[in-house]
Amino acid sequence: MGDVLAGFQAVWEFESDSVLIRYERGVRTPKLFQALGERRVPLTALEGVSLAEGKRGTVVLRLEPRAGADPLLEAAAGQLPEGLDPYRLVMPAERETLAEYYADELKAALTESGPADRHLIDAPEAPRRFKAYDGKASFDGTSVRFRWSWTGASSAKWKAGDQRFAVTDLGGVEWRSPEAFEGYLRLLPNGPAATGDPVPPDQDAATVVFGLGYGPVHESLPFAAAVLAAVRTRGAVPAIPAAPRRDPADIAERIRHLGELHQAGLVTDEEFSAKKAELLAEL
């Protein structure tokens, strides 16, 4: 088709085999859309197109991706509110006839349906990072690192120490929106699912906990999607150079906090000595 259709927060460019969605920047555009920038959606990733009446004199044209085609939607697991749906194009009601035309053209071009056997829409690129309530999460394309915060991390996480998870050892990602109660990002191990009650997020060294102002959707969800896509392809995303050694002042602060846990009886003598040696080795 080669045509362009503009909405309030995005522009859709129709090509012979895909739809290129470009999200606008500005105070009215959700931060998630701005973080995504643009997304190319192959027609093979779609199973439908809908057109419906919107709010306050608008119409909404929406693409309907196949299940499993988009790592972002897979990671979101139905938790995104309507306003953060990246496949909605909202337009003034007077453009309904034009929107209907494009909806019909797209429907005629679709040939696939049902769940996709792989991701067909590109995930947000690595490297990615965000700050959670109890630590900092980073992903370089091949591994995820959790670095615990001395002000927010539980004693269980401090005892476990900072964590590194290779993509090859992961089986998936569980993302609970920071806009919900007790949001978090949990890394799932590769292999049979664990039985019994799950470890609480604040005690699980494979989980970072969100909170007010921490792990916002526009940072944590693209992160989760990037990790999930790498898990599916087993580390096909290229890695970036390793991070430099840590600031000595930061190491000293972490040892001080470890000492407080030791004095409070939350860390044994052996655990204190081992963790202190581990921290000093990072200098």
Side-chain angles (χ1 to χ4, degrees), residues 37 48 52 73 75 80 86 99 107 119 126 132 157 179 246-247 277:
L73 291 190
L80 288 178
K107 288 177 183 177
H119 291 149
K157 290 184 177 181
E179 297 181 356
R246 295 192 181 161
D247 182 359

Side-chain angles (χ1 to χ4, degrees), residues 111-133:
T111 59
E112 304 293 336
S113 63
D117 58 2
R118 60 186 176 88
H119 291 149
L120 300 172
I121 301 169
D122 290 341
E125 295 181 351
R128 306 205 70 87
R129 57 183 59 84
F130 70 89
K131 186 176 182 180
Y133 173 74

Side-chain angles (χ1 to χ4, degrees), residues 36-198:
L36 293 175
E38 67 178 42
R39 308 201 82 199
R40 184 175 298 279
V41 186
L43 298 186
T44 54
L46 301 174
E47 63 180 359
V49 183
S50 64
L51 179 64
E53 181 180 347
K55 301 176 181 177
R56 295 187 292 276
T58 63
V59 292
V60 180
L61 183 63
R62 185 181 186 277
L63 302 179
E64 300 173 358
R66 299 165 59 194
D70 181 7
L72 189 81
L73 291 190
E74 184 177 347
Q79 298 176 76
L80 288 178
E82 184 179 82
L84 292 184
D85 183 346
Y87 294 106
R88 297 172 75 249
L89 185 66
V90 182
M91 297 169 290
E94 55 265 27
R95 305 191 72 186
E96 181 176 5
T97 301
L98 183 62
E100 186 175 5
Y101 165 77
Y102 282 107
D104 290 340
E105 289 287 299
L106 281 173
K107 288 177 183 177
L110 300 183
T111 59
E112 304 293 336
S113 63
D117 58 2
R118 60 186 176 88
H119 291 149
L120 300 172
I121 301 169
D122 290 341
E125 295 181 351
R128 306 205 70 87
R129 57 183 59 84
F130 70 89
K131 186 176 182 180
Y133 173 74
D134 58 357
K136 294 180 180 179
S138 62
F139 175 53
D140 65 6
T142 60
S143 64
V144 179
R145 293 179 182 271
F146 291 162
R147 177 183 172 189
W148 305 123
S149 165
W150 67 271
T151 57
S154 65
S155 59
K157 290 184 177 181
W158 269 94
K159 287 182 180 180
D162 294 345
Q163 300 291 300
R164 176 185 178 277
F165 303 88
V167 164
T168 51
D169 294 331
L170 298 177
V173 179
E174 181 183 0
W175 180 80
R176 183 177 176 87
S177 174
E179 297 181 356
F181 180 65
E182 297 183 341
Y184 59 81
L185 182 145
R186 189 194 304 270
L187 302 177
L188 305 177
N190 186 20
T195 59
D197 295 334

Side-chain angles (χ1 to χ4, degrees), residues 221-242:
L221 179 57
F223 184 104
V227 175
L228 182 61
V231 168
R232 293 285 185 271
T233 55
R234 291 299 168 198
V237 182
I240 61 171

